[in-house]
Amino acid sequence: MTGKTRTLVVAGHGMAGHRLVEELRTLDTAGSWRVVVLAEEPHAAYDRVALSSYLDGRSAADLSLPAPGLTSDPRVSLRLATAAASIDRAARTVTTTAGDTIGYDALVLATGSKPFVPPVPGRDLPGCFTYRTLADLDAIREAAVPGRPGVVVGGGLLGLEAANALRLLGMEPHVVELAPRLMPVQVDAAGGGVLGRRVAQRGLHAHCGVATASVQAGPDGRAAGVSLADGTVLEASVVVFSAGVRPRDELAAPADLDRGERGGFLVDALCRTQDSRIWAIGECAAVSGRCHGLAAPGYRMAESVARQLLGMGGEAFGEPDMSTRLKLLGVEVASFGDAHAGTAGALELSRLDEKRGTYAKVVLGADCRTLLGGILVGDARAYADLLPYVGRPAPSAAHRLLAPAS
């Protein structure tokens, strides 16, 4: 630390980038850093986890994350609709898409991720959309035709969010998922079965275990249907691709920054690139080679880097918390710990209640006592009681969960 005010450039103002800025504002009581934030979207950071609520009555302002004091803080310069275009590591400068050049003492890459669109014929037709930003949802809202079918390609967490968005717009949603069940990352076969039946009762048509072959155009040149690999053709006036994301790491190669094997800026456990003045956080960061797509790991990275910038010693990024609890189309789903029993010797105990439409599974260690993880579908109330015990002896809540319903 020197007494001189230094410049931090944050490339990206998503949820992780914003958490970094807020942590630094809170901890930097001496005002040692001036922060320049390059926000690619015309909006400041917003709650992307709650994106579907934007089509259910909430406004962009309701989802906005910055506190009122951010824009008036003399230590922070927030530049909307301006992204980082290139990095000159030797000169320690960032050139923006607006054409100006900003010098930095430290640079944090928080560029996030972009939707993955499978390379199927017709994917670029008018009427095809991705599901990632407020602008995406504005476009989907404008194209939606109440009462007409719409197809979502991808049956994971984001795919079901997109299907719910179409339902909120009055459309008849279909979901196409290559895996044999919905939400294959979070739930197992039995849980996926319960989830599929529950969402079907709410008007969702799921087509699992089949690939998307092409998007067909109608007489007007717009998307009119989706052909599946098994020969099925689904009518669709709107097609939404929500088949996963890829890290935004386009700045890496021109700046000679290392990338992870599957993309992302390669960083160590402290989120440092091979350049001592450059960090990466959030979905674009390949921590020890692995990217993480949830908000919680990104927040941990942001908090660690903020402390490092202030010489306070950041916490190394260990095993991330990938637990999730959410409600999709009115159905509660929770997954935590070693939900798929990947640990050697793990024991799976489950209870399926067809009448109530619920499924519960706990995973125990080889000692038959240690709680390793679990899955809850239809009723996730036990999630809060079980999560703190992962890695510890299973609590009585686990036993109650598996007991036959009275």
Side-chain angles (χ1 to χ4, degrees):
M1 297 290 291
T2 67
K4 177 184 176 184
T5 299
R6 294 173 291 173
T7 298
L8 167 67
V9 173
V10 180
H13 197 223
M15 296 176 73
H18 178 65
R19 176 61 69 93
L20 169 70
V21 174
E22 289 299 339
E23 284 292 311
L24 202 60
R25 289 180 68 211
T26 299
L27 297 174
D28 187 13
T29 55
S32 57
W33 286 97
R34 169 180 172 266
V35 185
V36 180
V37 186
L38 303 177
E40 184 174 25
E41 294 186 58
H43 307 277
Y46 51 88
D47 186 356
R48 208 180 298 274
V49 175
L51 198 58
S52 291
S53 65
Y54 181 60
L55 298 177
D56 196 24
R58 297 184 73 187
S59 66
D62 294 331
L63 295 178
S64 183
L65 293 177
L70 180 68
T71 55
S72 60
D73 190 336
R75 299 174 297 171
V76 179
S77 173
L78 176 59
R79 305 189 184 185
L80 299 179
T82 304
S86 63
I87 303 166
D88 187 330
R89 290 170 52 195
R92 296 207 303 271
T93 61
V94 172
T95 300
T96 74
T97 52
D100 54 338
T101 300
I102 306 168
Y104 66 82
D105 295 287
L107 170 63
V108 176
L109 301 166
T111 49
S113 60
K114 58 186 176 184
F116 169 68
V117 178
V120 297
R123 64 189 180 279
D124 296 325
L125 288 172
C128 292
F129 305 93
T130 54
Y131 189 84
R132 181 68 180 169
T133 67
L134 290 173
D136 289 337
L137 268 64
D138 284 334
I140 293 171
R141 191 201 315 260
E142 184 176 349
V145 181
R148 295 282 294 156
V151 172
V152 176
V153 178
L157 192 157
L158 289 177
L160 292 186
E161 288 280 359
N164 188 49
L166 294 184
R167 186 180 67 89
L168 292 171
L169 293 170
M171 299 193 71
E172 179 185 343
H174 291 252
V175 170
V176 179
E177 169 56 45
L178 183 60
R181 62 183 181 276
L182 298 174
M183 292 185 68
V185 174
Q186 287 80 17
V187 304
D188 58 11
V194 172
L195 176 62
R197 291 188 289 275
R198 291 287 296 265
V199 296
Q201 295 169 358
R202 288 160 172 77
L204 176 71
H205 305 279
H207 309 266
C208 296
V210 61
T212 301
S214 66
V215 179
Q216 299 178 346
D220 59 357
R222 295 181 59 84
V226 174
S227 296
L228 307 184
D230 63 1
T232 302
V233 177
L234 304 175
E235 189 179 355
S237 56
V238 168
V239 178
V240 181
F241 288 97
S242 189
V245 296
R246 297 293 183 268
R248 291 283 305 274
D249 58 7
E250 303 95 307
L251 296 170
D256 197 25
L257 290 171
D258 293 338
R259 297 171 65 251
E261 186 176 345
R262 296 187 178 182
F265 300 102
L266 185 63
V267 295
D268 63 13
L270 290 173
C271 298
R272 301 173 300 193
T273 69
Q274 77 264 33
D275 187 317
S276 62
R277 294 179 180 269
I278 302 178
W279 287 257
I281 60 174
E283 293 177 321
C284 70
V287 184
S288 301
R290 180 184 173 194
C291 292
H292 303 281
L294 297 178
Y299 286 164
R300 282 179 52 195
M301 297 179 209
E303 292 159 7
S304 173
V305 171
R307 295 182 65 85
Q308 292 174 59
L309 290 168
L310 295 169
M312 301 171 68
E315 181 180 352
F317 188 84
E319 192 63 28
D321 177 12
M322 302 301 286
S323 60
T324 55
R325 180 184 181 180
L326 58 155
K327 182 177 284 190
L328 295 164
L329 289 94
V331 182
E332 288 190 334
V333 179
S335 175
F336 61 96
D338 183 11
H340 293 285
T343 303
L347 175 68
E348 300 174 87
L349 303 174
S350 63
R351 179 169 64 85
L352 173 63
D353 189 327
E354 293 280 11
K355 183 176 181 181
R356 299 189 182 193
T358 61
Y359 173 73
K361 180 177 86 171
V362 295
V363 180
L364 301 178
D367 60 0
C368 298
R369 295 179 64 250
T370 304
L371 179 65
L372 299 181
I375 295 171
L376 305 169
V377 179
D379 184 350
R381 288 176 295 177
Y383 173 80
D385 294 327
L386 297 176
L387 185 61
Y389 286 89
V390 173
R392 300 164 56 190
S396 58
H399 303 288
R400 291 195 303 270
L401 189 67
L402 298 173
S406 59

